[in-house]
């Protein structure tokens, strides 16, 4: 088996799926191949950082946001193409390389379209105006007489036309307009319209290049043995058996560098991946776990969060004197809602190819969420300058936040620096799940009261580890975490509590590595917020929908909930043992609401249907909005009813998909997704559909069974 080199792409091709080609480039590999076809006589002119037009008429659009499945390879260039008046079928799309001229290049926080909506459109509009001005000058006519259409500038009065390629040289010499005129929404041809994802065929037929597909001449493979207790140190290495394996070249002590600390590890370097993996399994390493058997446990962590719930937190906001009014209230409630640590577990595990060369320069091929952040981290780690680094960003086979955390990339940098060879590091699934980083487990301590049948008081005390603190070291001891506090603030959720409201925070630290996970803190705190609002509605003897509408003065929130009520037929009479639950949450600039219907089944319930409504403002492609929301529904249900991550005696209890389950196709309920066209500024799409899912399910379970669930995950088949 040592000689078997079958890759994912070879397997797909051998399966008979490599039938259709695609002229749309995705990665740096496609870019380089395309540029080699251009003869030296042809000028490649950068109209602005995002648009390159050569004198033969070839158009290249630069996508500054890596694609991990969310569709940025089409969504972001669509903004350019709309204003440039070209169709995506006729252009080459390449990925940015981390250099500063492209601005922010990290895919995360559902930010691609909402942050680039104006800058990228302006880039396209500016290029269009420059090309139009160049044509008008050639023809000696007024700019107003010229129009852009399908990669050409037209002068309809005379029938003359010039391609962008013919105008590129002259246009590139003009000053870039600072305030170009943008198209009105009514004139959009691409934005807001259904368009086929042109990148899909390559992903099906095996042509698409993911990080795990990269094969560089002279490359060696490294499989890394990490400490089971994550932060353990190497005491001794017995590599005698590993060295006997054919293909094993070298065994070296290496390091895993995380934002909050570094750990030691051992790398087996081999001529092929199978040999490296076998060598890793043959290693015998003694670890010093530095007492983590006692301190690194989820049980002790959550015990600390529940202790903190009995004390005052640090105030983020308070309107009215909540403590006094809660003490005096007649009809009041308090409860704790818990969410577990979660792994990202993308289908493509962490991997990177790095070549640290003799001259100190570095070339990288990797599935990273942000080449700009990767460039920063690599330069900081190797102590080199940005101009010494070339980053080739591949497609990402899933990420959900994990691949913006560059420990795996820095491992490859360390090993390549030692060997002065291109090294391909691949984490196993076990590495991925047992080593983290994870979504932090969190606790919501909630209090509230009702007066005259209306919810008028509410306090959300958020408790747990802080990403701002652990990853960025940016939280003072007397400061409430601004990320999560803003997420649950009344300014974000728009609930108006007429008597008093409060948001507070307590920091409970852990050495379990944490980082953002799909929808970040919204997935933690939407669970508590929206289930507790239901509890208060029942205390007020109010229908949960009506109770929300009473305290939501915001028209956009109301429209989303009213649309949900209509599409889910909220007021219908349900048979015995069937229940519906709703939830609404705003995150990343978008408002999403969910209604789930469940019915009793044995000792548990069955999820019958999920209806989701999203108002994300202006969007690029409705099909992609629906696809991302469906993905959020699946991931949201998984987070509610499947396994969380737990640590016992310093070691993660889960190691692979058999212990860290995901929702299967046969378990997936019927889903419907509806978009509210508000025309507001663009919000996120990749994450906002997730936070309302778990609380909608929890509220549905209560409606069907009378059982109130406050801890995730729960066993949906056995609620006894």
């Amino acid at each position: 088996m040592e000689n078997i080199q079958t890759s994912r792409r070879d397997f797909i091709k051998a399966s008979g799926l490599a039938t259709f080609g695609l002229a749309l480039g995705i990665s740096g590999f496609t870019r380089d191949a395309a540029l080699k076809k251009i003869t030296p006589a042809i000028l490649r002119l950068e109209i602005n950082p995002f648009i390159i037009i050569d004198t033969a008429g070839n158009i290249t659009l630069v996508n500054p946001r890596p694609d991990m499945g969310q569709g940025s390879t089409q969504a972001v260039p669509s903004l350019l193409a709309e204003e440039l008046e070209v169709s995506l079928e006729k252009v080459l799309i390449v990925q940015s390389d981390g250099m500063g001229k492209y601005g922010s290049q990290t895919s995360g926080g559902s930010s691609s379209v909402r942050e680039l909506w104006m800058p990228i459109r302006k880039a396209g509009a500016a290029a269009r105006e420059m090309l139009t001005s160049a044509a008008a000058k050639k023809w000696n006519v007024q700019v107003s007489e010229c129009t852009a259409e399908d990669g050409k500038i037209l002068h309809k009065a005379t029938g003359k036309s010039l391609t962008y390629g013919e105008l590129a040289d002259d246009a590139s010499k003009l000053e870039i307009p600072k305030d170009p005129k943008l198209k009105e929404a009514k004139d959009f041809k691409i934005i807001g319209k259904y368009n086929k994802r042109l990148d899909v065929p390559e992903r099906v037929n095996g042509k698409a290049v993911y990080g795990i597909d990269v094969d560089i001449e002279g490359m060696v493979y490294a499989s890394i043995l990490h400490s089971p207790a994550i932060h353990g140190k190497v005491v001794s290495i017995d590599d005698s058996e590993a060295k006997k394996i054919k293909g094993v070249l070298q065994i070296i002590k290496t390091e895993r560098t995380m934002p909050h600390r570094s750990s030691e590890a051992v790398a087996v370097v081999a001529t092929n991946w199978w040999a490296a993996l076998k060598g890793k399994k043959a290693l015998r390493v003694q670890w010093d776990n530095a007492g983590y058997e006692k301190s690194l446990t989820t049980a002790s962590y959550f015990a600390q969060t529940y202790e903190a719930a009995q004390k005052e937190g640090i105030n983020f906001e308070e309107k009215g004197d909540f403590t006094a009014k809660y003490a005096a209230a007649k009809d009041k409630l308090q409860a704790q809602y818990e969410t577990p640590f979660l792994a990202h577990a993308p289908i493509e595990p962490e991997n990177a190819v790095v070549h640290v060369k003799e001259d100190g320069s570095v070339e990288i091929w990797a599935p990273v969420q942000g080449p700009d952040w990767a460039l920063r981290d690599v330069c900081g780690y190797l102590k080199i300058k940005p101009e010494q680094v070339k980053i080739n960003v591949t497609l990402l086979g899933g990420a959900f936040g994990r691949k913006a955390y560059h420990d795996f990339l820095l491992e490859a940098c360390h090993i390549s620096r030692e060997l002065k060879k291109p090294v391909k590091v691949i984490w196993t699934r076990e590495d991925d799940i047992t080593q983290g980083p994870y979504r932090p487990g969190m606790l919501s301590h909630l209090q509230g009261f009702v007066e005259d049948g209306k919810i008028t008081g509410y306090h959300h005390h958020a408790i747990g580890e802080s990403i701002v603190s652990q990853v960025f070291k940016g939280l003072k001891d007397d400061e409430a975490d601004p990320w999560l506090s803003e997420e649950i603030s009344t300014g974000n959720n728009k609930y108006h509590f007429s008597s008093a409201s409060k948001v507070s925070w307590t920091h409970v630290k852990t050495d379990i590595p944490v980082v953002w996970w799909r929808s970040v803190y919204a997935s933690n705190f939407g669970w508590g917020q929206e289930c507790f609002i239901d509890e208060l509605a029942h205390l007020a003897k109010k229908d949960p929908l009506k109770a929300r509408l009473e305290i939501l003065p915001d028209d956009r929130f109301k429209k989303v909930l009213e649309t949900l009520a209509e599409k889910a037929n909220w007021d219908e009479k349900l048979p015995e043992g069937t229940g519906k639950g709703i939830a609404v949450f705003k995150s990343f600039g978008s408002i999403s609401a969910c209604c789930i219907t469940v019915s009793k089944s044995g000792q548990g319930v069955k999820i019958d249907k999920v209806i989701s409504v999203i108002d994300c403002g202006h969007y690029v492609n409705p099909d992609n909005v629906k696809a991302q929301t469906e993905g959020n529904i699946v991931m949201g249900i998984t987070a509610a009813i499947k396994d969380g991550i737990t640590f016992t005696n310093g070691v993660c209890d889960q190691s692979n998909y058999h212990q860290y389950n995901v929702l299967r196709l046969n378990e997936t309920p019927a889903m419907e997704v509806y978009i509210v066209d508000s025309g507001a500024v663009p919000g996120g799409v990749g994450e906002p559909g997730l936070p309302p899912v778990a609380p909608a399910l929890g509220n549905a379970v209560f409606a069907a069974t009378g059982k109130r669930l406050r801890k995730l995950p729960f066993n949906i088949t056995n609620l006894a």
Side-chain angles (χ1 to χ4, degrees), residues 445-559:
H445 176 66
L446 296 150
Q447 298 173 302
F449 55 88
V450 302
E451 297 169 298
D452 300 322
K454 184 178 180 180
I455 303 169
T456 57
Y458 176 84
H459 171 209
H460 196 152
H461 181 187
I463 306 165
E465 181 56 284
S466 164
I467 297 169
V468 172
S469 175
Q470 192 187 94
V471 177
F472 296 103
K473 299 178 178 62
L475 190 66
K476 298 175 183 176
D477 290 341
D478 60 351
E479 178 187 10
D481 185 309
W483 283 12
L484 65 87
S485 298
E486 181 61 36
E487 198 97 73
I488 58 178
S489 69
T490 53
N492 186 61
N493 64 45
K494 300 301 182 185
Y495 285 129
H496 175 66
F497 304 102
S498 57
S499 184
S501 63
K502 183 178 177 181
V503 172
S504 61
W505 152 258
T506 297
H507 189 186
V508 174
K509 296 182 180 182
T510 178
D511 265 328
I512 297 172
V514 300
V515 78
W516 39 79
W517 185 89
R518 193 172 189 174
S519 80
V520 198
Y521 289 122
S523 68
N524 293 101
F525 297 117
W527 164 244
Q529 172 184 298
E530 287 302 294
C531 286
F532 194 65
I533 290 292
D534 250 46
E535 289 202 60
L536 291 172
H538 285 285
L539 180 64
K541 297 181 173 55
K542 282 276 176 66
D543 171 86
L545 173 65
K546 291 183 174 62
R548 283 175 171 82
L549 291 173
E550 272 187 346
I551 57 174
L552 272 172
D554 186 88
D555 289 338
R556 285 184 68 190
F557 269 84
K558 284 184 175 180
K559 180 66 174 177

Side-chain angles (χ1 to χ4, degrees), residues 20 68 88 236 254 274 282 458 484-485 674 680 685 709:
F20 302 99
M68 50 188 168
L88 285 173
S236 65
T254 186
W274 180 247
Y458 176 84
L484 65 87
S485 298
Y674 298 93
V685 169
L709 304 168

